[in-house]
Amino acid sequence: MELYDEDDTIYMQQEDDWDRDLLLDPAWEKQQRKTFTAWCNSHLRKAGTQIENIEEDFRDGLKLMLLLEVISGERLAKPERGKMRVHKISNVNKALDFIASKGVKLVSIGAEEIVDGNAKMTLGMIWTIILRFAIQDISVEETSAKEGLLLWCQRKTAPYKNVNIQNFHISWKDGLGFCALIHRHRPELIDYGKLRKDDPMTNLNTAFDVAEKYLDIPKMLDAEDIVGTARPDEKAIMTYVSSFYHAFSGAQKAETAANRICKVLAVNQENEQLMEDYEKLASDLLEWIRRTIPWLENRAPENTMQAMQQKLEDFRDYRRQHKPPKVQEKCQLEINFNTLQTKLRLSNRPAFMPSEGKMVSDISNAWGSLEGAEKGYEEWLLNEIRRLERLDHLAEKFRQKAAIHEAWTEGKEEMLQHKDYESASLSEIKALLKKHEAFESDLAAHQDRVEQIAAIAQELNELDYYDSPSVNARCQRICDQWDALGALTQKRSEALQRTEKLLETIDQLYLEFAKRAAPFNNWMEGAMEDLQDSFIVHTIEEIQGLSTAHEQFKATLPEADKERQAILGIQNEITKIVQTYHVNIAGTNPYTTINPQEINAKWDKVRQLVPQRDQALMEEHARQQNNERLRKQFAGQANVIGPWIQTKMEEIGRISIEMHGTLEDQLTHLRQYEKSIVNYKPKIDQLEGDHQLIQEALIFDNKHTNYTMEHIRVGWEQLLTTIARTINEIENQILTRDAKGISQEQMNEFRASFNHFDRKRTGLMDAEDFRACLISMGYNLGEAEFSRIMSIVDPNRMGVITFQAFIDFMSRETADTDTADQVMASFKVLAGDKNYILADELRRELPPDQAEYCIARMAPYTGPDAVPGALDYMSFSTALYGESDL
């Protein structure tokens, strides 16, 4: 059973919920009846009444309402005094509504069940009331209800031997738990040392009697019931133990009050100690600050860097060694102050007020003054050190910069006055200009150094440097030399630029010559290569294209000659400038290795090669005209022979398929065709002769025909093969017809069937067409049977069936059975009344070759009457005709 407060949140969850089935245990029901009845009477006696039977006396609801008024101290609604069932239900509902108003949600308990005297529901309701008004409000160390009551019992009985309270059932069976609770609060009532764990009856009765007599706790349990039950009823135990809790709650409150007083006194003592510690720590810290500030405010300057460095080192020692402990003291002082104020506030004591001048704010102000003095002292130290350092640094800097500048200017005047440009080439002049430009950039960069030297000298004068006269004299020498270098630099720059302009003109002409001579030279070399290049052509069109290209080349020669003369003119202009201005030119044209002499020599070579090329083209043109004549001659014959062969092939195919006349007529017609084909052979031989001429002329293609000699040869051979094979097929058909006794009408029917299912009209049937043909003729084909037939008609597994194979199969199907029977009857005559035949009998009756043929195809006879040399003549039929024919 779960109990809920008004907010629908669980305030108590029992370890074992109240369950109707548990009341079926008579021992538990008996314990609950007695305990709950005694508990109710302990409260009803206050109103001058009691109950005898718990399920009967609460049926009208009057005593139930009275019980609730007593234990709650509140007045319920006026009860109904009638005796009718409806009046009783109304009273019980008023009681149940009151219980619900206290935050208890009753589950499965209704007024009708209480009025009807349902013992299970009545006990459950009383247990709910006990939980709400006797157990719920128990609170021990942040636990409440059942857990709080259990913890209270554990705390009170912890010092007692043989007592270990873990639950509200078997932990109380020996009675020592009850005795320990009484002895803990009223030790004079029980001599606990005389109790024994193995005497639970005595222990329980002692506790129950003492509680009833001295503590006004009614006897709610029987010792016999507890000892005689394996697991006493938890609700009964909890109800009885809660009475002990309420009985001893007054003593517990007194103990709590004493503990609270001790705690308050301890807090006050601790707070007073914190106040004394604060006062002492604050006094010590303020005294240190007052001693330190005058030292930090001393600004007496020093004349040497060493003295100032010592002052700085003393200040650093102060920062590293003396100040950090005081920082920690100040932090601890503030922490102690805040902690003290927090403790005083939590204990509702007035806030701590330190002595005058020792407030946290006073200490903070004093500390701020210390840090201000510290900061000012540090800044003064650093400024003084920087001042002395700057004087030494400036003097050293002046000396270094002056030495660097003087080293740089050494030899520069002689270099600027040198006239090396008068005999230099253009590239050398440009190199000299680049070098001079670099010097000018370097000179400009050194301008800043000269200005810095002058500025440093000026600053040293302003700071009254002791060696200022020597600094000023050295600075003046540097400035005078600088002005001289500037004038010489400008003069050399102008001379270099004049020489460069003159050499650039010549260089441009050199470059122009190289730019025009290189492509012209390449053109001449390409022309010579083309004019001397051998050519291979295969058609008249190709040689005509070469001739046209050559004529176009010859047309460009006048323009090429003009370009040659222009290039030579550039070289002449260079020669004129050199002679006029007496320019010193070292070497040849730097942009090319081509010279005018080489150009003229190659031009003459080109002029010589042109007529030679004309002659070669004319000769090749004549040869290609002859080749074209041979092509047309071959094509004229091939274009006639090729279609003739194709036509003959088609005609032979039609003859073999169509059914005009008898087989002898078809054979005669085919032999006439064969004779006409053989008579055509001279034309093939003539074409072979023309092809021989083409090959000798190295002619590889012929646009006038699609036929090659190879095509003609293959077609001719196929034609001869086809006519021979067709004649052979007709001859075989005649043999088959005569051997099988097939009439001409049957042959025509076979041909008609074959042609009908030869859907591709190739003279051959594929496997599926053959299957369809057999089905149309009434064969019932399974896969195995069809495979057997295919192995007969297509033994080479080509996938197609010829007409000859077709008629062989059809004639065999009609004649094989009779033949097999006749052969077997003949063997039977030779064997007589035996089941086998001897090899000697076969050799005697048959020709030698036929006898050996039969013997090779017979298996040895293995019957019970077998003799040496006996043969199974039945196996001959199997070998020759197959098992399906037997």
Side-chain angles (χ1 to χ4, degrees), residues 109 494 779:
I109 300 177
E494 292 173 354
Y779 280 82

Side-chain angles (χ1 to χ4, degrees), residues 619-642:
E619 293 174 356
E620 182 62 26
H621 189 272
R623 192 176 72 85
Q624 289 300 326
Q625 285 180 332
N626 182 62
N627 290 350
E628 186 67 13
R629 180 185 60 77
L630 293 176
R631 288 190 186 95
K632 291 180 179 179
Q633 180 177 327
F634 176 85
Q637 297 183 69
N639 288 338
V640 173
I641 294 174

Side-chain angles (χ1 to χ4, degrees), residues 809-820:
F809 171 74
M810 296 305 300
S811 62
R812 179 182 177 184
E813 286 295 301
T814 58
D816 270 358
T817 302
D818 293 339
T819 303

Side-chain angles (χ1 to χ4, degrees), residues 231-242:
R231 185 176 184 270
D233 182 65
E234 183 181 54
K235 299 175 180 62
I237 298 294
M238 284 181 63
T239 302
Y240 187 53
V241 172
S242 67

Side-chain angles (χ1 to χ4, degrees), residues 651-688:
E651 290 176 355
I652 294 171
R654 284 197 300 271
I655 293 173
S656 64
I657 294 174
E658 294 174 354
M659 299 177 293
H660 298 304
T662 64
L663 291 175
E664 286 77 3
D665 294 338
Q666 295 178 22
L667 182 60
T668 301
H669 194 188
L670 286 171
R671 284 177 174 162
Q672 291 174 355
Y673 257 84
E674 183 180 24
K675 184 177 181 180
S676 65
I677 291 170
V678 172
N679 292 335
Y680 203 78
K681 183 65 167 60
K683 293 184 178 181
I684 302 297
D685 295 338
Q686 183 180 356
L687 189 63
E688 284 282 5

